[in-house]
Every structure is written in C-alpha cells, then in structure tokens.
Amino acid sequence: MNTFIELAKSRNSVRNYKEKPVEKEKLDIILESGRIAPTAANQQPCKFLVLENKNSIKKLQNACNPHNAPLAIIICADKNIAWTRPFDKNSMIEIDASIATDHMMLCAQDLGLNSCWITYFHPDELVKQFNIPKNLIPINILVIGYSDEGKTSKCLKKDRKPIDSFVEYL
Ligand SMILES: Cc1cc2nc3c(=O)[nH]c(=O)nc-3n(C[C@H](O)[C@H](O)[C@H](O)COP(=O)(O)O)c2cc1C
C-alpha cells in the first residue's frame, strides 16, 4: 500500500477482535500520531486515556460496547484549554479531539491493525468508572486490535454516496 487514499480506502470499522494484544511499539506510534495532530490555535487540549488491560476494558463495558477489543483509547479534551472562537463562543473541543482520533484510527490501519470509533457511550458512567476530572470531556473512544471478523468483514465503502453529492464547484 503506497498512497494515503489507498490506506483510507482499505479501512473499515471492525466490531469483533482477536484476544491478541496490540504491541507496545505500535501503541506508542499510534499515540504519537495523535500527539502531532493539529489543533485550533495549537492549544493541544487533548488527553488520551489508554485502557490496555482486561480490568480497564471490563470497566469500559459499563459505559459502552468495546467489541472485544484488547485496547481502547478514550480521547478527552480539556474544555478550559480548547480554543473558542470569540465571535460566537463556539469551542473547537470536539474538532480537536476528532482530528486526533482520526489520526490514530488511520495510523492503526497503517500498522496492520483494525479499529472502531465509538461515540455511543454513557458519558456519566465513563467519567465515574475512570475518575475523569470535570475539565476533561470524553469525546471519542477508539477501540483497536486485530480483526476477528474473518471473511464476513463488511466493507461499507460501497455504501458511500457518489462524489457529486458531496462536492459543489462554485
Ligand atoms: C463520529 C463517529 C462516531 C461513531 N460512533 C460509533 C459507535 O458509537 N459505534 C459503532 O459501532 N460505530 C461508530 N462509528 C463508526 C461508523 O458507524 C462507521 O465509520 C460508518 O458506518 C462507516 O463505516 P466504515 O467505518 O466501516 O467505513 C462512528 C464513526 C464516527 C466517525
């Protein structure tokens, strides 16, 4: 695989994983890809909470379905640090956290791993389970591992709308 577009097209959400853990070297590269993600005004409000042992994943199950993944990263961002647009007071907190999440999702793919982006979680339960401080807002969860979906793995790319429904040249 050579180009970014090939990498992006090769990825799909995986919702069943092997027990095989994610190698520490790969986890470090994934976290690095999140660290270098751009953020509004370079405020860098993100915090990545890494859950890599069975006990932490069990706690996570109280807040969402981690799809048997051996590794999950809760992508939080600090509401006191994220840049806010002065004109309408719109915080960039979700955008910053989501760019970091996307970097890590595609980085995982590049390393031969699979992932699923999760927002269907109970925020209050997540905060309770992991004692997340009030200023840190959990925005996304990225579960990562090796697919156990086998040949039944669905590639939803075919479900994407055609390019002309996305693009308008003005
Ligand atoms: C912002 C966002 C939130 C998502 N939340 C969930 C989720 O809570 N649970 C889930 O199983 N998939 C979730 N997904 C995965 C999407 O359902 C998936 O990306 C989409 O159906 C396209 O399929 P693909 O990832 O296989 O290309 C989310 C994806 C994004 C980008």
Side-chain angles (χ1 to χ4, degrees):
M1 193 181 310
N2 298 318
T3 65
F4 174 78
I5 194 73
E6 283 173 324
L7 175 75
K9 283 187 175 178
S10 73
R11 187 210 57 81
N12 63 287
S13 297
V14 165
R15 298 183 178 87
N16 197 24
Y17 292 87
K18 294 183 176 143
E19 261 196 49
K20 182 181 174 181
V22 173
E23 297 83 346
K24 175 80 178 115
E25 314 79 69
K26 290 191 176 182
L27 172 59
D28 287 346
I29 296 169
I30 291 166
L31 295 171
E32 175 67 358
S33 77
R35 184 185 75 86
I36 63 169
T39 58
N42 202 24
Q43 285 291 96
Q44 304 171 63
C46 297
K47 184 103 177 170
F48 310 137
L49 308 180
V50 180
L51 316 179
E52 54 175 349
N53 63 61
K54 283 190 174 150
N55 192 37
S56 302
I57 296 288
K58 207 169 170 199
K59 281 164 75 174
L60 181 63
Q61 284 169 349
N62 292 301
C64 72
N65 178 2
H67 303 298
N68 305 323
L71 170 68
I73 304 172
I74 306 172
I75 297 93
C76 301
D78 191 323
K79 63 179 178 188
N80 299 329
I81 295 177
W83 186 76
T84 296
R85 184 166 51 207
F87 312 111
D88 57 3
K89 309 281 183 261
N90 192 3
S91 170
M92 301 298 135
I93 189 167
E94 295 202 348
I95 298 176
D96 287 343
S98 294
I99 293 172
T101 306
D102 199 44
H103 266 216
M104 293 194 280
M105 181 176 74
L106 289 166
C107 183
Q109 187 72 20
D110 193 37
L111 295 169
L113 289 153
N114 302 98
S115 67
C116 188
W117 183 316
I118 294 174
T119 50
Y120 190 81
F121 59 81
H122 298 281
D124 294 346
E125 193 58 37
L126 201 62
V127 165
K128 192 174 109 190
Q129 291 292 330
F130 298 103
N131 295 318
I132 300 174
K134 273 211 165 95
N135 54 312
L136 272 191
I137 311 299
I139 313 279
N140 301 307
I141 299 170
L142 189 66
V143 299
I144 302 171
Y146 291 94
S147 174
D148 200 19
E149 288 188 343
K151 286 188 178 138
T152 61
S153 179
K154 275 193 222 154
C155 182
L156 300 176
K157 294 295 168 306
K158 294 182 197 95
D159 293 349
R160 299 292 198 263
K161 296 179 200 168
I163 192 74
D164 56 3
S165 70
F166 280 87
V167 182
E168 206 177 316
Y169 293 92
L170 303 176

